[in-house]
Amino acid sequence: MASVQQLVESAKQLVLGKGDFAYVNEDKGSDAAGKGTQQEPFQTLLKAMETFGPDAAIKVCKSGESDYQDASASALKKIKKKYEENQRKAKRLEEQRAKAEQEGQAKVEAEAQRIEEAKKVVLTQDASLPEATKIKIRDSVANRNKRVKVSGWVQNLRVQGKDMMFIDLRDGTGYLQCILTGKLCHTFDALTLTIESTVTLYGVISELPAGKTAPDNHELVADYWEVIHKAPGDKEAFGNKLNAEADPSVLLDQRHLVIRSKKQSAVLRVRAQLMKSFRDHFDSRGYTEVTPPCMVQTQVEGGSTLFTLDYYGEPAYLTQSSQLYLETCLPALGDVWCMAESYRAERSHTRRHLSEYTHLEAEMAFLDFNDLLDKIEDLICDTIDRVLAHEPTRRLVEELNPGFKAPSRPFKRMHYSEAIEYLKEHNIAKEDGTFYEFGEDIPEAPERAMTDQIGVPILLTHFPAEIKAFYMKRSKEDPRLTESVDVLMPNVGEIVGGSMRISDYDELMAAYKREELDPTPYYWYIDQRKYGSSEHAGYGLGVERLLAWLCNRYTVRECSLYPRFTGRCQP
Ligand code: 4AD
């Protein structure tokens, strides 16, 4: 079918000189490349007519013949009909296009006119109204039915005709539907308002009539409003920067804007309440909070994940764990805890590894391995209970993770050797089809497969010494094993790692030797075993991992304010 362009073009015709012919060769001609001459003929009569007009004299060399003849009258009649039909179509289309252009132009002019008119509309506050009280959205229920003033960001905007618009306002303490009517919708600011602009609205918050819904079941009916700052529209508009199809790297580049979304800000809010609940938990159990250093000269969890730095010309690292420092605090402060950033130069791109993560760690003295397991269980259950006891956070968890139920005690306890058996019995194998054997580290994928199948939190204990850190105490029953524990959660995997610590001086020195670690920079840690040693134990919990489990997030990257991982150190 001919395009509009082709049809319109065909309406522009050339004129043949007197006695000249247009040439058509059905075998050798070309409508696309031909010129209608004997040397460069067209292929069809229609093309010849379109080029030289309906009355042009045309010579045709029919298919299979070698001579040119005058085009027959019957052939010309048939093609002329088709030609005239095309001409009419072209005319119609051209008229339609011109009309649309005219209407478009008229619309643009009308809009420009409307904007110009809008610039003349000036709002003033009605002096007869009572003075507005400045409130935050969280206090809006308590301030219904009196005149208030609320500032915030335009989360969403709906325009209904010329005389009504709805603004979903967000101020960090909540969401409020605001309705603007009449003159309030006629100003330049109203016509050009954009999402994420900042505004102040004045008016009265009233309960919604039955059948309508909005946050807190009420809306602010504005009597006056002003724009504080207008966010860009068009190409730069907020919605264009973060559309639903944006791939994860775009969303990570724009994380500073992404965190404004309802979902992402909800995760960060739950995170804040989780951190408060940890603090309340430790406070209620009599622990002292300490703040160990981030810049260190000792490793805790193996050399392969250390971030090194130049510390005034000396080698130093970003801490992998505050554990060793917490241990030194026991004789000074008793049971201690901290929540600090830990750093791991992890090469792996997994959904649960960050290069910088928030590490909750605790250390306790005078206890045995079973006490340690009970304390870990207590930390998780009591903290989650506290989070859910905070009603606004409980609602956010319910939105993010519908049907979430706090875990119940006791957790399933399982030895590492039982896990190795479980993997075999349930046909969870390595990529090459062989099974994991005693002594091997169980990597993330099979560990998750097992945890997801079991479907409840697991305290996995008694790992072989070879696959665990140098400081872990051996099991009295089987010295090949350590008194160590990982907590495994469905959908996430390991969220806690802990152990009894070596309390004997000679045993610790032997561990350094075995691991080929120079004990010199650890002198302060070793002194712990000289000056009043004790049985002691501790653990570290990955806050982003617990949050991913609690909020049902696919990756820990969504649980960190600005995640750091291989290849990403901004924003
Ligand atoms: O098992 P890990 O390596 O144990 C320690 O660091 C001990 N020194 C802690 C202690 O006993 N005080 O790490 C503890 C927890 C893990 O279970 C995991 O939840 C989290 O820290 N974690 C990470 N989270 C995010 N990204 C990473 N790269 C992580 N590495 C460990």
Side-chain angles (χ1 to χ4, degrees):
M1 182 127 80
S3 72
V4 177
Q5 195 60 27
Q6 282 167 339
L7 287 170
V8 171
E9 280 305 312
S10 72
K12 298 175 194 160
Q13 290 166 352
L14 303 171
V15 181
L16 284 174
K18 199 161 186 287
D20 285 345
F21 294 99
Y23 287 87
V24 171
N25 188 325
E26 290 181 357
D27 287 334
K28 294 183 187 145
S30 160
D31 285 354
K35 293 203 170 87
T37 60
Q38 199 163 359
Q39 291 74 29
E40 295 173 85
F42 291 131
Q43 197 188 18
T44 65
L45 279 174
L46 184 62
K47 180 68 185 173
M49 259 187 216
E50 283 172 356
T51 310
F52 300 113
D55 301 320
I58 306 173
K59 295 237 179 235
V60 185
C61 177
K62 287 194 166 284
S63 180
E65 293 179 6
S66 53
D67 296 335
Y68 278 95
Q69 308 283 343
D70 287 342
S72 73
S74 63
L76 283 173
K77 191 173 167 199
K78 195 167 138 208
I79 296 303
K80 199 167 175 181
K81 213 167 145 200
K82 174 89 187 137
Y83 162 82
E84 282 167 356
E85 199 179 296
N86 281 356
Q87 291 294 304
R88 280 195 298 277
K89 209 188 252 174
K91 198 167 160 221
R92 227 176 22 249
L93 288 170
E94 175 56 20
E95 281 166 4
Q96 279 171 3
R97 194 197 56 74
K99 192 168 165 221
E101 193 180 312
Q102 235 174 30
E103 281 172 359
Q105 187 60 28
K107 236 186 188 161
V108 169
E109 279 166 18
E111 186 58 20
Q113 175 77 16
R114 204 159 81 95
I115 299 262
E116 280 313 305
E117 289 298 319
K119 283 182 185 165
K120 293 182 208 148
V121 180
V122 179
L123 300 179
T124 46
Q125 286 210 58
D126 182 347
S128 69
L129 293 174
E131 177 100 18
T133 315
K134 182 172 161 180
I135 64 159
K136 291 279 183 194
I137 295 177
R138 67 166 162 252
D139 301 320
S140 53
V141 172
N143 282 283
R144 276 183 188 167
N145 304 319
K146 54 183 169 198
R147 193 159 181 263
V148 295
K149 165 182 170 181
V150 200
S151 301
W153 290 263
V154 177
Q155 173 93 15
N156 219 337
L157 189 61
R158 292 183 309 283
V159 178
Q160 271 182 16
K162 286 202 165 86
D163 290 311
M164 192 180 280
M165 59 194 262
F166 291 91
I167 293 176
D168 292 336
L169 192 72
R170 178 187 86 232
D171 76 346
T173 75
Y175 298 90
L176 178 65
Q177 175 169 294
C178 306
I179 176 165
L180 282 70
T181 52
K183 196 176 171 188
L184 299 182
C185 308
H186 301 161
T187 62
F188 175 73
D189 280 340
L191 264 47
T192 57
L193 190 63
T194 46
I195 284 172
E196 292 303 316
S197 293
T198 33
V199 294
T200 300
L201 293 132
Y202 297 70
V204 175
I205 299 170
S206 314
E207 212 167 326
L208 283 176
K212 301 215 166 170
T213 52
D216 286 326
N217 204 32
H218 60 200
E219 68 185 358
L220 181 137
V221 181
D223 58 56
Y224 178 75
W225 73 293
E226 55 201 8
V227 168
I228 300 168
H229 177 258
K230 206 174 285 169
D234 302 329
K235 270 197 204 128
E236 274 259 86
F238 189 81
N240 288 338
K241 293 203 116 173
L242 305 181
N243 59 40
E245 295 98 59
D247 80 81
S249 79
V250 171
L251 293 179
L252 283 159
D253 286 342
Q254 305 296 333
R255 178 91 180 143
H256 56 298
L257 302 179
V258 169
I259 56 175
R260 299 181 182 202
S261 75
K262 275 194 171 162
K263 212 169 241 175
Q264 290 304 311
S265 62
V267 174
L268 295 176
R269 251 175 234 293
V270 176
R271 181 183 164 112
Q273 194 60 29
L274 177 66
M275 290 168 82
K276 179 177 184 300
S277 301
F278 280 135
R279 201 157 260 128
D280 291 344
H281 167 81
F282 284 115
D283 201 30
S284 72
R285 304 301 193 257
Y287 289 60
T288 301
E289 183 174 2
V290 292
T291 46
C294 267
M295 300 159 122
V296 299
Q297 289 190 310
T298 46
Q299 54 165 277
V300 191
E301 298 298 328
S304 65
T305 60
L306 281 173
F307 274 110
T308 51
L309 64 115
D310 178 354
Y311 191 79
Y312 304 108
E314 281 184 30
Y317 317 115
L318 293 177
T319 190
Q320 295 171 308
S321 157
S322 299
Q323 175 196 325
L324 308 190
Y325 292 96
L326 290 186
E327 288 186 52
T328 67
C329 294
L330 290 175
L333 302 165
D335 295 351
V336 284
W337 75 285
C338 72
M339 189 152 40
E341 302 307 286
S342 277
Y343 300 87
R344 305 279 169 104
E346 303 274 6
R347 302 271 166 233
S348 49
H349 258 272
T350 79
R351 53 197 254 200
R352 68 178 201 191
H353 283 97
L354 293 166
S355 304
E356 177 180 36
Y357 71 96
T358 306
H359 203 173
L360 176 99
E361 295 181 271
E363 204 65 30
M364 292 113 352
F366 307 113
L367 77 174
D368 65 19
F369 189 52
N370 274 325
D371 296 332
L372 171 67
L373 301 186
D374 291 345
K375 282 180 189 289
I376 294 175
E377 218 169 64
D378 183 39
L379 165 80
I380 295 172
C381 294
D382 179 58
T383 303
I384 296 298
D385 287 347
R386 286 172 190 271
V387 169
L388 298 180
H390 184 250
E391 185 52 25
T393 309
R394 191 202 60 74
R395 281 202 299 267
L396 292 178
V397 171
E398 180 59 29
E399 273 166 35
L400 293 162
N401 191 1
F404 174 80
K405 282 201 179 56
S408 51
R409 293 178 244 205
F411 288 179
K412 181 179 174 62
R413 298 185 182 192
M414 191 175 182
H415 281 224
Y416 159 87
S417 55
E418 292 173 272
I420 293 287
E421 286 312 307
Y422 182 100
L423 297 181
K424 283 184 185 154
E425 282 164 16
H426 292 80
N427 208 20
I428 303 172
K430 297 183 198 171
E431 263 178 22
D432 66 6
T434 61
F435 287 108
Y436 293 94
E437 297 298 340
F438 182 91
E440 285 184 298
D441 196 13
I442 304 173
E444 179 173 344
E447 181 189 270
R448 277 254 320 283
M450 177 183 82
T451 313
D452 291 355
Q453 275 180 15
I454 295 175
V456 291
I458 305 167
L459 290 163
L460 189 62
T461 63
H462 298 90
F463 292 87
E466 288 70 36
I467 59 169
K468 284 291 179 186
F470 74 93
Y471 53 76
M472 292 191 180
K473 191 179 170 73
R474 302 268 177 157
S475 159
K476 282 178 265 326
E477 292 80 39
D478 184 347
R480 290 176 309 159
L481 306 178
T482 51
E483 289 192 319
S484 53
V485 56
D486 280 358
V487 178
L488 310 180
M489 286 299 196
N491 294 326
V492 179
E494 181 200 327
I495 61 158
V496 176
S499 76
M500 296 299 294
R501 319 304 192 191
I502 294 175
S503 54
D504 179 71
Y505 177 90
D506 293 331
E507 206 181 323
L508 181 62
M509 298 313 282
Y512 282 121
K513 198 161 183 190
R514 191 186 66 239
E515 299 288 326
E516 294 177 3
L517 272 176
D518 175 11
T520 320
Y522 293 86
Y523 71 93
W524 48 273
Y525 181 68
I526 297 165
D527 268 359
Q528 190 73 10
R529 281 82 190 154
K530 272 194 198 167
Y531 299 94
S533 193
S534 66
E535 288 298 338
H536 65 287
Y539 55 80
L541 176 149
V543 172
E544 291 79 7
R545 290 193 187 177
L546 183 71
L547 198 60
W549 167 73
L550 176 62
C551 296
N552 193 28
R553 296 296 90 195
Y554 176 74
T555 159
V556 289
R557 293 175 189 178
E558 279 188 65
C559 300
S560 167
L561 181 59
Y562 286 106
R564 300 289 181 251
F565 52 91
T566 334
R568 169 141 324 254
C569 202
Q570 63 163 3

